[in-house]
Amino acid sequence: MSILEVQGLTKSFGGVAAVRGVSFTVEPGEMLALIGPNGAGKSTCFNMLGGQLPPDSGQVLLQGQNITFLPPRHICRLGVGRTFQITQIFASMSVRENVQTALLSHHRQSWKLWRAADTHHITEAEALLYKVGLATQAARPSAELAYGDLKRLELAIALAGQPRLLLMDEPTAGVAPAERAGLMDLVANLAREGQMAVLFTEHDMEIVFSCADRILVMDHGSLIAEGNATSIRANPQVQAVYLGTAA
Amino acid sequence: MIASLIQLLTGMAEASSLFLVAAGLTVIFGVTRVVNFAHGSLFMLGAYIGWSILSRMPRDPEYFALGVILAGLATAAIGAALEMTLLRRIYRAPELLQLLATFGVVLMVQDATLHLWGPEDLTLPRGRWLRSAVVILGERFPLYDLILIALGPIVLAIIWMIFTRTRWGTLVRAATQDRDMVSALGVDQRRLFTSVFAMGSGLAGMAGALALPEASANLQMDLTAITDAFVVVVIGGLGSISGAYLAALLIGILQAVGIIWLPKSTLVLVFVVMAAVLIVRPNGLRGRKLTAARGEADTIASIKPASPSLKLAALATLAIAIAAPFVIGPFALSVLTEMAIAILFAASLHVMMGPGGMASFGHAAWFGIGAYAAALPVKLLTVSMPIALLIAPIAAGMVALAVGALVVRLNGVTLAMLTLAFAQIVWAVAFQWSDVTGGDNGILGVWPPSWAGPQAMYFLALSLCAGGALLLRKMLYAPWGFALRASRDSTQRAEAIGLDTQRLRLTAFTLAGSAAGLAGGLAAFTKGSVFPTTISIGHSVDALVMVLLGGVQTMAGPIIGAIVYTGLFDALLLATDLWRFVLGAAIVAIVLIVPQGIAGLAKR
Amino acid sequence: MQLTRRTLLAASATLAAPAIVRAQGSTPIRIGEVNSYTAAPAFTLPYRNGLMLAVEQVNAAGGVLGRKIELLIRDDAGKPADAVRLAGELVSDQKVDVLAGGFLSNVGLALSDFALQNKKLFVAGEPLTDALVWEKGHRYGYRLRPSTYMQAAMLVDDAAKLPAKRWATVAPNYEYGTSTVKWFKQLLLAKRPDVTFIADQLPTLGKIDAGATVAALEQAKPEAILNVTFGPDLTNFVRQGNTRGLFENRSVVSVLTGEPEYLDPLGEETPEGWYVTGYPVNAVKDAANLAFIAAYKARFNELPKMGSIVGASLIASIAAGITKSGSTDSEAMADGFAGASFATPFGQATWRAQDHQSTLGTYVGRTALKNGHGEMVDWRYVDGAAALPSDAMVKTLRPA
C-alpha cells in the first residue's frame, strides 16, 4: 500500500485557486520531489498534507486512513514528520534539548512534571544528532547555530518522531550551495535505511535530479507531469513552464 | 424620545473625549509597538500645562484654541524628550520592557506634578461661550459638547490626511509594515520614531487641555485616562485610528444610555464591552493581525539552568530568610512575609509570561480570588486556616481554568487585555456585592488562629511561597515545562511534533492562577483582611513590574524582582515623601542599566 | 505653588525631627499616624498641616502629662493593606502609644480592625463611615469627624422644610456615598412620608461621566437633588449641571460641599443656594476659630481648610484623652478617652462613652457666589451631639 494517497486536493484563497485537483501517491522508502515555479501551489499543497491548512475539497489518506482534517499534532502522531520552509526550532533551548523535547513528545512523556527534561533520552538524542552531523554542537544554544545547521537540527527534531513519511518544504533553501548535496544525501540515506518515504519541494534542480526517485511537477495549482529525472528532463511541457523560465 | 437624543449626543461628546486621548496612544503603538503606560501622564501634563497657559489668557475662543495648541506642543516636546532619553534605548529589549520603563515615568510624573502645581484640583474659569448651551428639542445641551462631537471626527480626518497625504505619513506607515525596509530607504528611523512619539504625546496633551472646560486638572486623571485609552485602543484594534474612534463611540454611547438603566454599570461597562469584542474579534473592531515589528529573535533568549554561583546565592538567601526572624523586629518580619508572598505572586505570573508566553495585565484577579476564597469560608463558615489555604488555590485555579479555556487561544496584547478585563470584572463583583464581600470595606478580622503568631505565619508563608516557587521552577524544567516553552518558541513546530499547545497553555494558565490564589490566601491571613484593592489594576501592575524588573526568562527573575521591588517600596515609603519619584527613577535606571532584568545581571 | 513646596518641606522636616524632640526631657508620647498622603493630597496635606501645628502648640504649652508629643507620619498610598502594614511598623517597631489617621472609609476600618486585634488605641480623624463606631465599633476605636449619619442628619432638617417631593440622589459608588444616601433617605422619609426618591445615580469614584449623569438626572425630572460627590467628580458634575440647567428651579442638598477643599475649586461656577455642610473659614468670628486661623496663617502662610481643622482637633482630642486617662496604657486610654472634653477651632467637643464618636460638629449653610468665589452663607454650627441618634438606637447599632 502507498504510504500517502492524495486525491483531488483543491484550495482557493479569495476566489483564486492555489491548488486544483491534485492527486498523487507516495510509496514507502521513496524520495519524491514536488517541483514547480514560484506560486505553483507547492507550499499550499504541503500545508494541506501536514494539517496546517484545511483543503476546500479532496482528501489525504495515510496508509488508507483519512487524515484530511486532522490537526497537525494528530497527523504527527500517525507518523508524519515535517520541516518548514523557514526553519522552526525551539530557540530558547540547546541543540540537544530541542531533540529531547521532540523525543519526549514522541514517547508521550510531555506531561511529566518532576524529573528534569534534559535527563531524558540523552543517548537517543545524541544518536539523532550524530546522524544529522550535529554531534559536536549538542550543548550549544540552538539560537547560535548557522542556518545550515538549523536545517539539520530541524531534521533531527522531525526524525525523533520516527516518521514513516517526512515532509520537507524547501529543505535546502538558505543553505550554502556546497552544503546542499550533503544534506540531501543524508536525507536520502536515512530514507533508504529506515524505509521512510520523503516528500520534498525544492528549487535547486541539481538536487532534485540527483536525489529524487520520482518527481512531480506543479504549475498554476495543477500537476502537469510526473516521472523520473530523465523523463521530466525530457518533458516538453515541463521545459516550457518551468525549465524554460529557469534557464 | 427627547431624552434619548440628548443621551446619544452626550455619549458622542464623551466618545470624542475618549478618542482624543486614545488617538495618540494608538498612533504610538501602531508604529513603535511601545505600550506606553505614561500616556495618561502626558494627558495629565497637558491638562496642567493647559491650565497654566489658559488661566493667564483672555477667555475668548481664539485664545482657548491657541492655549490648547500650545499645551499640545509642550507635551509633544516632553514626549519627544522621553523617547530620545529613555525609550529609544530599549526598542530592542524584551517586549513589555517599555511598559516597565514608562511605569517608572508615571510614578515620577505623579510626584513632579504634585510639587509643581500643588495638591489642589485646578479648575479653569470658563468664558461665557464655554458655559453656554444650545437648545435641542427643548433641552439644553452644552455648546462645548457639540464642539467636542465635531472635534473627534475632525481630528480623525486630520490624522488620516497626515498619514496618507504626506511623505512623512507614508514613511510612518511603511515603518509600521516593515522597519528594515524603511531603514534600507535611507530614512533615519530614529527620527521617524521620535516624531511619531511627539505626535502621539501632543495629541494626549491637547486632549488634556481640551478636558479643562468640563473637568479639573487633578492628580488622579493620569491613571483614569490610561485605562480608558487602553481599552479604547484595544477594542478599536491596535494601531487603527478609525477603529479607536469607533470604539470610543461604542463606549461613549453605551455608557450614556446604560447609566439610565443601570447606574452602577459604569463600574465595569467598558471592560465588559472589551471582553465581548475581543472574544469575538481578537484583533479588535478594525485591527489587523500584528506583524512582528521587532526582530523576533531578540525576544527569545536561550534558557540555561541556574549557574552554580546563582544556586549558591539562592541557598544563602534562603539561609538568611530562615535565620532572619530570630534577629529582626516585628515590622521587618512583616516585610519579609510580604516579600515571600510577592515571590509566589510574581513566580506564578512568570510561569504564564515567561515559558508560557502569555503576558497578563490582570494577574491580581487570581490573587484576589484566592484571598476572598480563603477569607469568606473563614468568616461565613468558620473554616480553619489550613482548609481555607487549601480552598484558595483550588478556587483560583478553577476560575482560571474556565477563563483560560476562553482566552488561551489568543495572543499578545489581546490576551493580556482580556485578563485585565476579567480582573476588572472580578474587582467589580468584589466591590459591588457588599452583602457577601463587604464591598470596598472588605472582609476584616481574617486573622490566623492563635497558634500561628507572626513568626509562625512567616515560616508558613516562606515555606509555601518559596516552596511553591521552587516547585513551579521544577515543573518548568520537567518535560511539561519544556513542552510549554516549545509551544511558545514555535507553535508550529510544537504542533508538528505532536504537542497540544493549547492544552499546554491552558495548564500553565490554570497553574499560574492557582499559585497566585495560594499567595492571595496567605495574604488574607497575614494582613487579617481582604479588600477589592487586591484585585485592582495597580496590584496587577505590581506583579508585572516584579517579573520585568527581575527578568522574564528564568525563575530567578521574578524572585529577585519580588524581593527588590517589595524591599525598595517599603524602604522608600518610610524614608521619603518623594517615594514615588525615587521608586520611578530607580525602575527607569534598572531598565536602562540591565534591560534583561536584574537576574540577567546576576548571570553575567 | 511656593506655599505648597514649603509646606511639604516643613512636613519632611518634622518627619526627620524625632531625634531632636526626644532630646528634650522625658520620653515623648508617640502618636503614629497613617494616611493617604499621595493618593488624596488635596485633603490630606492641609490635614497634615493641622496635625503639625497642633503638635507644636501642645508641646509649646508643656506637652501632655509633662511629656512632649511626637508625631510619626506614614503614607498608605490609598491602599488599606499597606495601611495595616504601616500600622504594624508604627506599633511594633516605633512603639507608638496611639494610632491615628485614615481618610477613605475602608482604610479607616482596616486600621480599626488592626487596632482591635493588637489592643492598641486607634483614633480615626477623617473617615466618615458609621461602621467605625457602630457595627464594627470596639473598645479601642474612636472617631472624630461627624459621620455619614450625622452629615445626613444635619442636612435633613433643611431638606424636610423644602416643598420638594420628588428627590433624586447622586453619590460616589462606595461606602461613604451609599451610606450617606441610605441615611438621608431614611431620615427624610421619617420626617416627610410624602417624599419619593425617583432616581439614584452612582458614578464610580473619580470617574464620573458627568454629562451622562446630569442628563440622566434631568430626565428623571426631580424637584430636589441630594449630592454626595466631592473632589474632581463634584467639579465635573457642577459644570455639566450648570450648563445644562440641572440646578435651576431645583433645590440641592449637598454633603461636604461647603468645605473649602471642595468649594474653592468650583470658583465662579459655585452654584447658589445649595444646602451644604462645610466650613465658612473666614466668616466664623468665634475666638477659637480666629486664633486658629491666625496661628495657621503664621505657620503656613495660607488659610486653613476643613482638613486642617480635623488634623488640629485630632491632636487636641488625643491630648485631652491621654490627660484624662492619666497614662498611655492602651487599656487605660480605651476607658479614659470616653468623656474627655477637648477644645477645637469649632468649639468644645467630647468623646462620647456610648459609641466613641466625638461630638465635634460642622457648619451647615447655603452656598453663595461672591466676587467669583464660592462661600457659605446663612450658616450655623451644628453640634455633633445634636445630630446623633438616641442612645437606644446606638445600642442596637453597636453590638460590642
Side-chain angles (χ1 to χ4, degrees):
Chain A
M1 195 205 287
S2 307
I3 285 274
L4 190 77
E5 193 176 342
V6 177
Q7 299 169 344
L9 222 47
T10 301
K11 181 81 187 174
S12 308
F13 295 107
V16 182
V19 174
R20 17 185 154 194
V22 169
S23 303
F24 61 89
T25 61
V26 185
E27 303 306 325
E30 86 170 326
M31 294 279 290
L32 177 61
L34 178 64
I35 64 169
N38 278 332
K42 301 180 306 262
S43 282
T44 308
C45 210
F46 246 69
N47 287 334
M48 285 191 282
L49 301 185
Q52 282 84 13
L53 263 184
D56 295 340
S57 65
Q59 57 180 350
V60 184
L61 303 176
L62 185 71
Q63 289 187 316
Q65 185 185 350
N66 191 343
I67 61 163
T68 317
F69 292 103
L70 290 184
R73 62 172 186 278
H74 288 177
I75 294 176
C76 156
R77 294 279 181 219
L78 294 171
V80 180
R82 75 164 291 178
T83 66
F84 294 88
Q85 198 170 353
I86 298 163
T87 44
Q88 298 284 331
I89 53 133
F90 309 128
S92 68
M93 299 179 194
S94 75
V95 170
R96 197 178 70 193
E97 286 167 350
N98 264 277
V99 181
Q100 284 173 307
T101 303
L103 285 167
L104 282 164
S105 176
H106 177 64
H107 293 294
R108 298 181 177 269
Q109 293 168 323
S110 290
W111 291 86
K112 290 174 98 176
L113 290 169
W114 194 249
R115 213 181 94 198
D118 60 2
T119 60
H120 288 79
H121 311 300
I122 297 177
T123 345
E124 210 178 333
E126 286 184 342
L128 276 168
L129 288 173
Y130 179 79
K131 260 190 199 172
V132 300
L134 285 176
T136 55
Q137 317 263 18
R140 284 182 70 188
S142 60
E144 289 176 6
L145 290 185
Y147 196 71
D149 287 343
L150 280 181
K151 288 272 179 194
R152 288 168 190 273
L153 174 56
E154 201 186 19
L155 179 60
I157 294 173
L159 291 176
Q162 297 186 331
R164 287 175 287 176
L165 170 66
L166 182 62
L167 306 173
M168 301 182 83
D169 200 359
E170 311 245 352
T172 68
V175 178
E179 253 189 274
R180 287 179 190 171
L183 187 63
M184 286 316 287
D185 283 346
L186 173 69
V187 176
N189 285 333
L190 290 171
R192 260 151 227 148
E193 58 187 61
Q195 280 296 292
M196 169 182 77
V198 178
L199 172 64
F200 66 103
T201 67
E202 182 55 66
H203 271 295
D204 187 329
M205 283 308 130
E206 260 180 62
I207 298 280
V208 171
F209 290 135
S210 64
C211 307
D213 300 320
R214 199 151 59 92
I215 298 166
L216 302 167
V217 187
M218 273 184 88
D219 186 38
H220 290 104
S222 307
L223 274 186
I224 55 164
E226 181 190 340
N228 61 18
T230 328
S231 73
I232 292 294
R233 268 207 188 95
N235 186 317
Q237 206 184 349
V238 174
Q239 281 177 349
V241 303
Y242 191 84
L243 299 178
T245 54
Chain B
M1 292 311 280
I2 292 167
S4 61
L5 177 68
I6 290 289
Q7 292 286 355
L8 193 71
L9 289 174
T10 304
M12 286 174 71
E14 172 67 17
S16 281
S17 306
L18 281 173
F19 169 69
L20 290 171
V21 195
L25 188 65
T26 206
V27 164
I28 290 174
F29 183 88
V31 178
T32 64
R33 291 289 189 276
V34 168
V35 180
N36 182 18
F37 206 76
H39 198 71
S41 307
L42 293 163
F43 171 76
M44 179 169 78
L45 285 173
Y48 273 94
I49 293 170
W51 181 87
S52 290
I53 295 171
L54 288 169
S55 59
R56 288 173 173 79
M57 286 219 252
R59 298 183 187 180
D60 307 304
E62 58 272 25
Y63 286 101
F64 180 77
L66 178 66
V68 168
I69 289 168
L70 287 176
L73 289 175
T75 325
I78 295 171
L82 181 65
E83 198 274 345
M84 288 194 289
T85 53
L86 177 58
L87 294 169
R88 176 179 288 183
R89 296 165 200 272
I90 51 173
Y91 281 131
R92 292 220 167 253
E95 230 174 311
L96 288 179
L97 200 78
Q98 296 93 358
L99 184 95
L100 179 62
T102 49
F103 173 71
V105 173
V106 168
L107 291 175
M108 292 170 75
V109 171
Q110 278 177 338
D111 262 349
T113 311
L114 171 63
H115 286 255
L116 284 171
W117 280 281
E120 280 150 60
D121 301 347
L122 301 178
T123 44
L124 181 70
R126 295 194 290 182
R128 188 170 296 277
W129 67 282
L130 280 174
R131 298 178 69 159
S132 66
V134 286
V135 176
I136 297 173
L137 298 174
E139 296 274 331
R140 271 162 54 177
F141 189 75
L143 174 68
Y144 188 69
D145 277 0
L146 277 184
I147 296 174
L148 282 179
I149 290 175
L151 213 50
I154 291 173
V155 169
L156 175 64
I158 292 174
I159 298 175
W160 183 80
M161 297 246 278
I162 290 176
F163 278 125
T164 51
R165 299 290 162 83
T166 65
R167 179 180 140 78
W168 178 82
T170 314
L171 286 174
V172 167
R173 278 187 302 133
T176 314
Q177 308 294 329
D178 187 345
R179 292 185 183 192
D180 295 337
M181 191 197 76
V182 174
S183 305
L185 289 174
V187 176
D188 185 348
Q189 189 184 296
R190 302 194 335 164
R191 269 173 61 189
L192 205 59
F193 277 21
T194 309
S195 59
V196 167
F197 210 87
M199 176 180 170
S201 307
L203 281 168
M206 275 171 59
L210 283 168
L212 286 171
E214 303 206 319
S216 58
N218 62 69
L219 293 162
Q220 287 86 47
M221 64 198 298
D222 54 345
L223 295 179
T224 312
I226 188 64
T227 23
D228 286 351
F230 252 112
V231 168
V232 168
V233 164
V234 170
I235 293 179
L238 287 158
S240 164
I241 317 267
S242 57
Y245 183 69
L246 276 181
L249 215 52
L250 181 71
I251 289 175
I253 291 173
L254 275 178
Q255 192 126 303
V257 175
I259 213 168
I260 297 181
W261 308 115
L262 195 63
K264 291 175 180 175
S265 63
T266 50
L267 207 58
V268 274
L269 184 90
V270 291
F271 296 101
V272 173
V273 172
M274 177 166 80
V277 169
L278 290 187
I279 284 172
V280 180
R281 293 182 65 97
N283 297 317
L285 294 174
R286 289 184 55 89
R288 274 173 304 208
K289 211 175 164 72
L290 289 176
T291 48
R294 262 186 309 275
E296 280 282 355
D298 291 327
T299 64
I300 297 179
S302 63
I303 309 284
K304 289 174 216 154
S307 62
S309 59
L310 191 65
K311 280 186 175 161
L312 209 64
L315 273 177
T317 311
L318 195 63
I320 293 171
I322 291 169
F326 303 104
V327 280
I328 58 172
F331 176 67
L333 186 67
S334 77
V335 172
L336 285 190
T337 312
E338 179 103 335
M339 267 182 195
I341 291 170
I343 284 173
L344 185 57
F345 187 35
S348 64
L349 178 59
H350 162 77
V351 171
M352 270 181 74
M353 254 179 94
M358 300 174 282
S360 166
F361 294 163
H363 203 58
W366 319 118
F367 188 93
I369 290 173
Y372 276 98
L376 281 173
V378 171
K379 293 305 276 185
L380 301 178
L381 310 168
T382 57
V383 158
S384 69
M385 182 174 79
I387 298 196
L389 285 181
L390 200 64
I391 298 175
I394 293 174
M398 272 164 50
V399 184
L401 180 66
V403 174
L406 213 56
V407 302
V408 291
R409 68 196 159 87
L410 303 167
N411 275 308
V413 181
T414 306
L415 174 69
M417 289 304 277
L418 268 173
T419 57
L420 171 71
F422 177 73
Q424 282 299 98
I425 291 165
V426 173
W427 171 81
V429 170
F431 193 91
Q432 205 63 77
W433 197 14
S434 344
D435 292 343
V436 174
T437 63
D440 55 309
N441 288 342
I443 302 173
L444 299 172
V446 195
W447 298 104
S450 47
W451 56 263
Q455 239 181 50
M457 279 309 289
Y458 168 70
F459 281 115
L460 183 68
L462 181 68
S463 51
L464 285 178
C465 292
L470 289 177
L471 189 67
L472 289 176
R473 182 181 180 279
K474 181 98 186 150
M475 289 157 94
L476 291 177
Y477 283 102
W480 174 78
F482 269 59
L484 178 68
R485 190 137 57 84
S487 311
R488 175 201 70 181
D489 285 359
S490 167
T491 312
Q492 221 173 23
R493 168 48 63 206
E495 287 277 332
I497 61 167
L499 294 174
D500 189 341
T501 53
Q502 300 266 335
R503 248 177 80 193
L504 285 161
R505 281 158 65 99
L506 183 58
T507 37
F509 196 92
T510 309
L511 193 64
S514 183
L518 176 61
L522 280 164
F525 282 104
T526 54
K527 294 212 166 75
S529 50
V530 186
F531 300 95
T533 45
T534 51
I535 315 171
S536 64
I537 296 176
H539 199 219
S540 292
V541 171
D542 285 345
L544 266 179
V545 169
M546 289 188 275
V547 171
L548 293 168
L549 210 53
V552 78
Q553 298 301 347
T554 63
M555 190 51 93
I559 293 176
I560 295 173
I563 294 172
V564 169
Y565 184 64
T566 319
L568 210 56
F569 180 84
D570 277 317
L572 290 174
L573 204 56
L574 294 181
T576 166
D577 277 358
L578 292 171
W579 65 266
R580 287 186 301 194
F581 191 88
V582 182
L583 183 62
I587 288 172
V588 169
I590 290 172
V591 167
L592 288 177
I593 298 166
V594 266
Q596 69 277 55
I598 304 171
L601 189 71
K603 272 184 196 162
R604 277 205 301 231
Chain C
M1 281 181 241
Q2 282 298 326
L3 286 183
T4 322
R5 233 177 294 168
R6 208 173 305 153
T7 322
L8 283 166
L9 285 175
S12 322
T14 309
L15 287 179
I20 306 163
V21 181
R22 210 176 303 164
Q24 316 170 339
S26 59
T27 52
I29 294 171
R30 303 191 119 192
I31 300 175
E33 206 275 347
V34 186
N35 225 316
S36 308
Y37 291 104
T38 46
F43 205 102
T44 50
L45 295 184
Y47 162 85
R48 185 163 69 181
N49 289 346
L51 290 177
M52 293 183 335
L53 178 63
V55 167
E56 287 161 14
Q57 286 175 341
V58 169
N59 286 341
V64 177
L65 305 178
R67 295 159 69 188
K68 301 276 180 199
I69 290 183
E70 185 188 342
L71 185 63
L72 293 97
I73 290 176
R74 299 289 182 261
D75 172 24
D76 62 38
K79 289 184 266 184
D82 280 335
V84 169
R85 223 152 39 82
L86 291 165
E89 189 256 350
L90 288 168
V91 168
S92 53
D93 284 21
Q94 305 298 337
K95 314 282 182 216
V96 297
D97 300 293
V98 177
L99 273 177
F103 174 65
L104 291 174
S105 295
N106 54 6
V107 176
L109 284 169
L111 287 171
S112 173
D113 185 59
F114 172 86
L116 173 62
Q117 176 77 6
N118 290 275
K119 300 198 180 349
K120 205 78 197 168
L121 196 76
F122 170 61
V123 187
E126 301 276 6
L128 294 175
T129 174
D130 300 290
L132 262 179
V133 291
W134 293 346
E135 55 190 279
K136 287 180 182 152
H138 55 82
R139 175 175 164 70
Y140 305 96
Y142 284 80
R143 189 260 307 282
L144 179 70
R145 274 194 96 180
S147 63
T148 50
Y149 177 94
M150 295 161 78
Q151 300 274 350
M154 287 175 185
L155 287 165
V156 92
D157 286 337
D158 290 318
K161 285 180 200 136
L162 294 168
K165 287 182 186 164
R166 290 161 53 83
W167 281 78
T169 67
V170 53
N173 184 7
Y174 78 107
E175 164 82 16
Y176 154 72
T178 48
S179 149
T180 307
V181 169
K182 181 190 82 180
W183 287 126
F184 184 83
K185 284 183 177 175
Q186 198 172 316
L187 293 168
L188 185 61
L189 284 168
K191 287 183 192 256
R192 284 283 301 274
D194 58 331
V195 154
T196 51
F197 286 88
I198 50 170
D200 294 303
Q201 279 297 320
L202 281 167
T204 309
L205 176 63
K207 288 188 166 190
I208 191 171
D209 187 349
T213 306
V214 167
L217 288 173
E218 180 76 52
Q219 194 188 354
K221 304 257 175 275
E223 290 160 16
I225 296 169
L226 168 72
N227 167 59
V228 196
T229 66
F230 62 97
D233 288 339
L234 176 68
T235 306
N236 301 7
F237 176 65
V238 165
R239 289 192 162 210
Q240 281 285 350
N242 280 343
T243 312
R244 294 178 188 238
L246 177 68
F247 311 130
E248 287 166 21
N249 304 318
R250 280 199 183 103
S251 308
V252 179
V253 171
S254 190
V255 187
L256 305 186
T257 307
E259 299 182 356
E261 283 87 338
Y262 308 127
L263 195 57
D264 288 353
L266 297 179
E268 59 186 38
E269 304 243 356
T270 307
E272 298 207 75
W274 284 20
Y275 295 87
V276 296
T277 55
Y279 172 33
V281 188
N282 269 326
V284 181
K285 302 295 183 196
D286 294 358
N289 187 50
L290 291 178
F292 180 71
I293 293 177
Y296 194 89
K297 262 183 150 170
R299 176 72 169 82
F300 303 109
N301 201 17
E302 62 183 19
L303 279 174
K305 306 204 164 187
M306 189 65 176
S308 324
I309 301 288
V310 176
S313 306
L314 184 66
I315 296 297
S317 75
I318 293 172
I322 296 174
T323 308
K324 179 170 172 293
S325 310
S327 138
T328 53
D329 172 63
S330 289
E331 301 302 326
M333 288 192 295
D335 294 325
F337 265 55
S341 174
F342 50 95
T344 78
F346 285 5
Q348 207 66 21
T350 312
W351 284 120
R352 282 157 53 104
Q354 58 270 56
D355 58 2
H356 293 188
Q357 168 69 39
S358 97
T359 62
L360 177 68
T362 196
Y363 289 87
V364 178
R366 304 190 67 178
T367 53
L369 191 57
K370 283 187 184 162
N371 307 322
H373 287 285
E375 283 190 7
M376 269 176 85
V377 294
D378 302 336
W379 46 263
R380 61 181 195 278
Y381 179 70
V382 180
D383 189 80
L388 279 156
S390 69
D391 286 358
M393 184 176 160
V394 167
K395 216 163 223 165
T396 62
L397 291 168
R398 185 178 162 100

